[in-house]
Amino acid sequence: MKCEIAVYGLGVMGSCLARNLLRKGFRVAVYSVAEPERQRFLQWEEAAQAVVCQSEEELLETLETPRKIFLMITAGNPVDQVLGQLLPRLAPGDVVLDGGNSYYQDTQRREEQCRDQGIRYLGVGVSGGERGALYGPSLMVGGSQEGYELCRSFLAAMAAQAEGKPCCAYMGPGGAGHYVKMVHNGIEYGILELLAEAYQWMSQGLGWDAERIRQVFASWENTELSSYLVEISRKVMGKRAEDGSPLVEKILDVAGQKGTGKWTVQEGVERGVYIPTLYEAVSARNVSGQRERRLQGAKRRAAACQEAESRRRAAGQGETAKSRDPRTQGQEEASLRQALYLGMITCFSQGLDLIRKASEEMGWEIPAGELAQVWKNGCIIRCALLNRIQKAAEEEADILFSREFEEIWKQRDSLADFLGTVEQAGLSLPGFAASLHYLDAFSQERMPVSFIQALRDCFGAHTYRRVDRPGTFHTQWEEEE
């Protein structure tokens, strides 16, 4: 019997997805241009049930029609190159799936190119990392709806399950699937930044050791903060280096990024959607790369503080009191926990705002209620909060103003109080601050943009509108000399 599906690309993710499909009982053909990858795949137990092909021609001959080929290769030019090689050999009705982190506009272009030749093209956002790919990822599918229906059975089978439903859904035509995956990664950036800032506050602000911080993360696992990222935060804090010290303290504080976070921020700017927490998360990684400047600034700041302290002593004022909140550890932890929960809500709200705006402008009709279901398991941002988000999304498209999350407006002041304590300690927690700014921006009855409009009209005659009468106006603001 011929194979039902092919996996093209046998890196970490491709190998895991192929093994996942084989475990589910599908007949799978696999191929990689790299011979070492093919040989490594043969070492897996599941490989005995697969057809490991030695060429693209063999791969295509092994498949039943319509052929379904799952590309698990590096995003960008490699996808175009492989697609260019495959298209002349494919027949109308065949399906090509791209499971990499492709830019959604590239997916849009490829889907149109394939459609012109009768080929069904799918952009599949795959989240969950190596373990998710093997045991069940979250799948966000876009492109040809006919292609999705042909592939629905194996996509649903390989996906993670939540409450008896697969974490897999069709998001819309064109690049909708990869767009949702891009924003998923943007939300991931935001939550990672908040968790890192929580660690920084506990470590540098409160002076807690690694074991105490590990215990805090562990205590959050069965609360409203329950999530995959909190779970692995506890694991990270418990890992020790060769000398017995916390491994995290030996890791260089410089982070990179693969593009999806930057793309999310760019989309926010281009579509006019306010996503400050996601923006600060990307910016924090950029600042981390400027380590020499940070170290230089730290020396300057320490010297300035020492000089100021010396002046105070000379003036007979004595040492200044340490800016440390006198509350108990339990109160400090509760304050941080509430701040983190509000921050996580704003990350999801910002991401869903962006998806909703793009869906409206692109005509995708992305099902907001299904997004939470798709993210409930398998993906990196899976968390207990998604149950409430799903309920809120079904009630109100904008979760920020849903009845489900009415309490966030009552808890706004607690976040502000927390940040006040942080600033007194001299720490920069831009993710938490941006989350507060997000809530404040959407609760201002009147913004100072009216002043900007007046200034623009003054120096450039850009005109302005008024609140008390219709039309466009211009004023001669400066007297002629």
Tab-separated table of all heavy atoms in Angstrom, residues 94-113:
chain	number	residue	atom	x	y	z
A	94	ASP	N	-3.114	17.825	-5.488
A	94	ASP	CA	-2.125	17.488	-4.469
A	94	ASP	C	-2.064	18.601	-3.413
A	94	ASP	O	-2.434	19.750	-3.666
A	94	ASP	CB	-0.740	17.305	-5.095
A	94	ASP	CG	-0.637	16.028	-5.925
A	94	ASP	OD1	-1.525	15.165	-5.774
A	94	ASP	OD2	0.313	15.895	-6.710
A	95	VAL	N	-1.574	18.235	-2.224
A	95	VAL	CA	-1.538	19.176	-1.103
A	95	VAL	C	-0.106	19.325	-0.595
A	95	VAL	O	0.578	18.329	-0.352
A	95	VAL	CB	-2.438	18.708	0.055
A	95	VAL	CG1	-2.484	19.783	1.151
A	95	VAL	CG2	-3.844	18.384	-0.433
A	96	VAL	N	0.334	20.570	-0.420
A	96	VAL	CA	1.627	20.862	0.189
A	96	VAL	C	1.358	21.620	1.483
A	96	VAL	O	0.605	22.602	1.500
A	96	VAL	CB	2.525	21.700	-0.735
A	96	VAL	CG1	3.833	22.058	-0.022
A	96	VAL	CG2	2.805	20.960	-2.030
A	97	LEU	N	1.953	21.168	2.572
A	97	LEU	CA	1.806	21.819	3.877
A	97	LEU	C	3.165	22.336	4.320
A	97	LEU	O	4.160	21.600	4.273
A	97	LEU	CB	1.270	20.838	4.930
A	97	LEU	CG	-0.019	20.079	4.632
A	97	LEU	CD1	0.278	18.734	3.958
A	97	LEU	CD2	-0.811	19.838	5.923
A	98	ASP	N	3.219	23.588	4.749
A	98	ASP	CA	4.454	24.175	5.270
A	98	ASP	C	4.310	24.316	6.777
A	98	ASP	O	3.533	25.135	7.268
A	98	ASP	CB	4.691	25.544	4.624
A	98	ASP	CG	5.878	26.287	5.239
A	98	ASP	OD1	6.679	25.645	5.951
A	98	ASP	OD2	5.996	27.507	5.011
A	99	GLY	N	5.085	23.526	7.530
A	99	GLY	CA	5.001	23.544	8.984
A	99	GLY	C	6.071	24.367	9.661
A	99	GLY	O	6.214	24.303	10.884
A	100	GLY	N	6.817	25.158	8.889
A	100	GLY	CA	7.852	25.992	9.489
A	100	GLY	C	7.302	27.326	9.960
A	100	GLY	O	6.115	27.633	9.793
A	101	ASN	N	8.176	28.155	10.537
A	101	ASN	CA	7.771	29.496	10.994
A	101	ASN	C	7.885	30.491	9.852
A	101	ASN	O	8.619	31.473	9.931
A	101	ASN	CB	8.632	29.937	12.182
A	101	ASN	CG	8.055	29.520	13.510
A	101	ASN	OD1	6.854	29.344	13.655
A	101	ASN	ND2	8.930	29.352	14.492
A	102	SER	N	7.135	30.259	8.804
A	102	SER	CA	7.193	31.129	7.633
A	102	SER	C	6.471	32.445	7.894
A	102	SER	O	5.470	32.490	8.624
A	102	SER	CB	6.555	30.437	6.424
A	102	SER	OG	7.340	29.359	5.981
A	103	TYR	N	6.966	33.510	7.276
A	103	TYR	CA	6.299	34.805	7.349
A	103	TYR	C	4.978	34.693	6.602
A	103	TYR	O	4.924	34.169	5.483
A	103	TYR	CB	7.195	35.867	6.730
A	103	TYR	CG	6.677	37.276	6.847
A	103	TYR	CD1	6.136	37.748	8.035
A	103	TYR	CD2	6.735	38.138	5.767
A	103	TYR	CE1	5.674	39.046	8.143
A	103	TYR	CE2	6.283	39.443	5.860
A	103	TYR	CZ	5.742	39.888	7.051
A	103	TYR	OH	5.280	41.180	7.159
A	104	TYR	N	3.916	35.208	7.213
A	104	TYR	CA	2.580	34.958	6.663
A	104	TYR	C	2.407	35.506	5.247
A	104	TYR	O	1.662	34.934	4.442
A	104	TYR	CB	1.515	35.544	7.596
A	104	TYR	CG	1.265	37.022	7.440
A	104	TYR	CD1	0.218	37.485	6.655
A	104	TYR	CD2	2.070	37.956	8.084
A	104	TYR	CE1	-0.023	38.844	6.521
A	104	TYR	CE2	1.839	39.296	7.959
A	104	TYR	CZ	0.801	39.755	7.174
A	104	TYR	OH	0.569	41.092	7.032
A	105	GLN	N	3.097	36.595	4.906
A	105	GLN	CA	2.975	37.124	3.547
A	105	GLN	C	3.638	36.203	2.526
A	105	GLN	O	3.188	36.108	1.379
A	105	GLN	CB	3.568	38.532	3.479
A	105	GLN	CG	2.727	39.563	4.220
A	105	GLN	CD	3.235	40.976	4.043
A	105	GLN	OE1	4.200	41.228	3.308
A	105	GLN	NE2	2.604	41.930	4.715
A	106	ASP	N	4.706	35.519	2.939
A	106	ASP	CA	5.313	34.516	2.060
A	106	ASP	C	4.335	33.369	1.832
A	106	ASP	O	4.207	32.854	0.713
A	106	ASP	CB	6.607	33.975	2.675
A	106	ASP	CG	7.734	34.993	2.653
A	106	ASP	OD1	7.671	35.930	1.826
A	106	ASP	OD2	8.668	34.865	3.463
A	107	THR	N	3.659	32.953	2.888
A	107	THR	CA	2.664	31.885	2.766
A	107	THR	C	1.523	32.318	1.853
A	107	THR	O	1.036	31.532	1.028
A	107	THR	CB	2.115	31.511	4.159
A	107	THR	OG1	3.201	31.106	4.988
A	107	THR	CG2	1.102	30.381	4.066
A	108	GLN	N	1.104	33.565	1.995
A	108	GLN	CA	0.051	34.107	1.136
A	108	GLN	C	0.462	33.998	-0.336
A	108	GLN	O	-0.319	33.567	-1.190
A	108	GLN	CB	-0.182	35.573	1.513
A	108	GLN	CG	-1.492	36.148	1.066
A	108	GLN	CD	-2.481	36.264	2.212
A	108	GLN	OE1	-2.345	35.578	3.220
A	108	GLN	NE2	-3.485	37.074	2.034
A	109	ARG	N	1.689	34.411	-0.623
A	109	ARG	CA	2.195	34.377	-1.995
A	109	ARG	C	2.289	32.944	-2.519
A	109	ARG	O	1.887	32.666	-3.661
A	109	ARG	CB	3.573	35.054	-2.035
A	109	ARG	CG	4.346	34.850	-3.318
A	109	ARG	CD	5.665	35.593	-3.283
A	109	ARG	NE	6.492	35.275	-2.131
A	109	ARG	CZ	7.253	34.186	-2.032
A	109	ARG	NH1	7.253	33.285	-3.014
A	109	ARG	NH2	7.994	33.984	-0.966
A	110	ARG	N	2.789	32.039	-1.683
A	110	ARG	CA	2.934	30.645	-2.126
A	110	ARG	C	1.584	29.978	-2.345
A	110	ARG	O	1.419	29.170	-3.265
A	110	ARG	CB	3.759	29.873	-1.098
A	110	ARG	CG	5.213	30.312	-1.018
A	110	ARG	CD	5.909	29.789	0.212
A	110	ARG	NE	7.240	30.365	0.374
A	110	ARG	CZ	7.834	30.592	1.526
A	110	ARG	NH1	7.204	30.300	2.665
A	110	ARG	NH2	9.039	31.122	1.574
A	111	GLU	N	0.622	30.326	-1.488
A	111	GLU	CA	-0.709	29.733	-1.648
A	111	GLU	C	-1.331	30.159	-2.971
A	111	GLU	O	-1.951	29.349	-3.677
A	111	GLU	CB	-1.601	30.156	-0.469
A	111	GLU	CG	-2.870	29.336	-0.316
A	111	GLU	CD	-4.026	29.895	-1.106
A	111	GLU	OE1	-4.055	31.110	-1.346
A	111	GLU	OE2	-4.916	29.100	-1.492
A	112	GLU	N	-1.150	31.427	-3.363
A	112	GLU	CA	-1.669	31.915	-4.637
A	112	GLU	C	-0.950	31.250	-5.806
A	112	GLU	O	-1.578	30.888	-6.806
A	112	GLU	CB	-1.510	33.432	-4.710
A	112	GLU	CG	-2.386	34.192	-3.719
A	112	GLU	CD	-2.097	35.678	-3.691
A	112	GLU	OE1	-1.199	36.118	-4.452
A	112	GLU	OE2	-2.740	36.396	-2.903
A	113	GLN	N	0.357	31.091	-5.680
A	113	GLN	CA	1.148	30.440	-6.729
A	113	GLN	C	0.677	29.008	-6.945
A	113	GLN	O	0.498	28.561	-8.084
A	113	GLN	CB	2.625	30.453	-6.341
A	113	GLN	CG	3.546	29.735	-7.322
A	113	GLN	CD	4.975	29.624	-6.798
A	113	GLN	OE1	5.274	30.042	-5.670
A	113	GLN	NE2	5.854	29.055	-7.603
